[in-house]
Amino acid sequence: MGAATESESRIHAVAFHPDSNAIQRLLQDRIAPERILIRPIDRIAFASDASFYRLIPQAVIQPQGVEEIKHLFRFSHQHGIPLTFRAGGTSLSGQAITDGILVDVGRYWRSHRVEHNGSIIRVQPGLIGQQANNALKLYRRKIGPDPASIASCRIGGILANNASGMCCGVAQNSYHTLNSLTFILPSGTQIDTADPNADNILRMLEPKLCATLLRFKSEIESDATLSARIRHKYKTKNTTGYSLNAFLDFESPLDIFSHLLIGSEGTLAFIAEAVLNTVPDYPVKYTGLLLFPDLHAACSAITPLSTAGAAALELMDRASLRSVEDHPGVPAHLKSLPESAAALLVEFQTPDEARRQQIELACNDAIRGLPLLHTAAFTSDPAQQAMLWKIRKGMFPSVGAVRASGTTAIIEDIALPVDHLADAAVELRSLFLKHRYPNAIIFGHAKDGNLHFVLTQGFNTALEIAQYRNFMDDVVAMVVGKYDGALKAEHGTGRNMAPFVETEWGSDAYRIMCELKAITDPLNLLNPGVIVNPDPEAHVIHLKEMPVVEPEVDKCIECGFCEHSCPSRDLTLTPRQRIVVRREMQRLKDAPDPTAYNELDRDFPYMALDTCAVDGLCATDCPVSIDTGKLTKRFRALRHTSFANKTAALFARNFSLVEFGARFALGAGHFIQKIFGLSFMTATTKLMDRMSRRFLDEPFWQWRDPMPRPRKGALPTTSSSGAEAVYFPACISRVMGALPGEPEDVTPMQALLNIAQRAQVNLYIPRDLSGHCCGVPFSSKGFEAAHQTAMDHTIESFYRWSNAGQLPIVIDTSPCTYGLKTSRAQLSPENQQKFDQLRILDSVEFAHSHILPRLPIHRQLASIALHPVCSATKLGITSKLVSIAEACSIHVTVPQEAGCCAFAGDRGFLHPELTASATSIEAAELKQQNHDGYFSSSRTCEIGMTRATNHIYRSYLHLLDHASRP
């Protein structure tokens, strides 16, 4: 390995590292203090990425513009503190961690703009890849890279790792789809490569860098052996080291350096903005899973399928299929496959329906005669295709989820000649057995000769570390020594392959990489230790321990897939960060000095518990369905006193009094506001909140505009005679009336009765509705006994009202529907039997299937906006809500960034800052549009969205009522 450079030795000798408080004091004159995160809980939350490495930063900075970036570079140089940029933290090789200053660009660098009719897109590094594709969907275009993590990884990482993925191969990776960049060097030089004078500006401001780049180009071009090796290695996927092909592909220092930045993993400069050439997004797809007797048979099919035009060929060995065979929707026959079996997930794509027959014929011709274990079954159904891709994309997290407690999941990716792929895969399996990794799996992008392998590993003893070290030595010998492949195909070199870059490339190429790093970052402060690292043991230091924590979240591998959908992601912690902090608390639990634990424990309640919406959307994004809200509920329950639990149980048993009290409080609040004004009412509830927190350790509702008025009048009742369903208005509907400015003539309950009558659908509303609750308010607060009491009472009444389940139960508030439909495990044994006889439907389901087909539509609104609540998403009824809206309006908009509003029952009354943060992006999107109506399916969510957008959100039942009026 190469020796440490003089600059590395010098900086390590003289570096002065102020503590976190000193960093904040020194930076806060240029960066707002609230964007300088130095509390232990913040630093721990950002200490982990998706890799198996961990470093605790001294501070986490969230800059907002290029001038702040330049200031951070100056500060880093002045004080000798390393600087690492992080976008999404989904990197798998340790590229996004540091013990210096971590610069989080995922928070404020998210803008994008589609240009030239979709042929290019201008993006900042914090934008999620899928968000870029969402913006391009109108143009039937997409960005070239298509990694499996595209729904969570961000543009910064996509560029920094030269991401590719399932279908893009080499031709459409980040490197080859780059149009232009705006970058900032550690020296502070800022260059927009789209500027016609950019090359001259770079030569003028950075003459030494430009001269060095041209010298490297000359050296490479004059060395026929090295030139040929570079060209050969970049015909296939390869992200080991820096992108040396830039020296052969381009002439000017500007073009060379801008392409060297792709795949540089944030070690050379900061990419502030990129313009990417987009590629066609073919809407017509033909997808199937082919099962073969062994890996050789599967790999023998790669060439004919590729020749036939397959866009994707995903190889999976038997162990990888086993890791997902129990997932919902996975074909049952996977369980009966022999141990030697292998599979190819195959997808053909075409731009229009006119060519569908062509790709289907090409596919059928290619698979004819293949030695398949089962008849090939291809599909054009998007839902079935999504399930097939979910099998493939869920393999890495699925293996991590079934790992032994205390171990971590490791994923590596290698590239090999396609004609040697099967032999290499078989040899790799033998290495798993040799080094005692019996549960390791192999999958990958077979079309590109790209294999991923996943294994689980503990790093708690010297023996375990030696096990991994010896295994990696054998892998390197096989990939490089035997097959002359690439040790990193698309995940980036990071820390775990840095010691082997010279082994793969040779001394001449590695010398150029080292000198490139030194000339660009002479103090070795920009993400040091990544790509260029003289330590031969770099891949086995700074390893992440995985202490055992609560069973609700212990299987988390910290991949970060959950983060985008989390309502508190921009306010406090994400689900991944909650788990990371919880693991750190477990590490510190028995430490001799309790100071560090106490600091985390002090901030954990608000950061992790109070501001968790417990909406469960994290489970929908998590490949192994971890619902972090369950952990939140566990800890909320532990915080309750015996008195609090008894009080909650009393409320559950006497819920009619709670309803009366809530209606009275809303009425009294509006009366006081009318006399003394909104500010007086707001100040009063803030004072009551402080007193309640101090003496009862519980928050109190805060009065914010708008607040609903109490529902007026008596509850409607109807006869059970001839009824098609029982209508159960949720307690929210029974308590809350109109918002200020909203018409009060028709309540959501009356709207449902109106449309049912017009469709000649009879609904039965029992007389004894009062006092019934779905139990969700108690569950979300961790009052489990009260939760069970409320649910048991309601299920008993459902059973009685429905005549032992003969009639379906229709509920008008989606969160309440979801809470009751998933309540079985918490019910008493007797009520579980009753539950099994019931059909519980959300009103969206009932209106879509029973009312809308029989409802006369007389008028349509021109344009409406929908907010699908998180419960509707989990129930899988969002498409039905959209269908209802489309019947009642000409144009329906569901914001691309629609997500959980975080009102979470009454959480929006207790912590309005959570709802404000959760809805900010969706609200910003809606402010660019004008609609004739705004609708949802939960009253509290409607309140939250009204506050966020200043447009009154109403129940979709009002939309149906309006459209069907004669």
Side-chain angles (χ1 to χ4, degrees), residues 791 822-828 832:
M791 287 191 306
T822 57
S823 66
R824 188 185 190 282
Q826 288 78 37
L827 296 170
S828 67
Q832 287 182 353

Side-chain angles (χ1 to χ4, degrees), residues 72 102 107 110 117 121 126 195 260 275 282 318 328 332 384 499 508 515 596 614 758 773 778 838 864 910 946 960:
L72 287 171
L102 186 69
R107 177 67 177 86
R110 300 172 179 169
N117 201 33
I121 184 170
D195 185 334
L260 283 167
V275 178
Y282 293 146
R318 179 67 184 95
Q384 294 181 35
D508 289 340
E515 290 188 31
V614 295
R758 291 168 195 151
C773 174
F778 299 107
L838 299 175
I864 68 164
L910 302 173
T946 299
L960 276 169

Side-chain angles (χ1 to χ4, degrees), residues 19 31 76 188 229 261 288 294 371 377 469 477 504 506 529 534 569 583 668 676 690 701 753 756 762 785 827 865 913:
D19 63 24
I31 300 174
S76 170
R229 179 157 182 76
L261 290 182
D294 54 47
R469 182 194 295 111
E504 177 176 332
R569 63 190 180 276
R583 283 176 170 153
F676 298 103
R690 287 196 294 269
W701 279 20
L753 292 175
N762 292 327
L827 296 170
E913 71 277 12

Side-chain angles (χ1 to χ4, degrees), residues 113-121 135-142 276 278-280:
R113 186 169 71 244
V114 177
E115 299 177 357
H116 296 181
N117 201 33
S119 63
I120 61 174
I121 184 170
L136 291 164
K137 192 168 294 185
L138 176 66
Y139 306 91
R140 295 177 68 173
R141 309 283 293 181
K142 63 179 181 178
L276 303 179
T278 63
V279 301

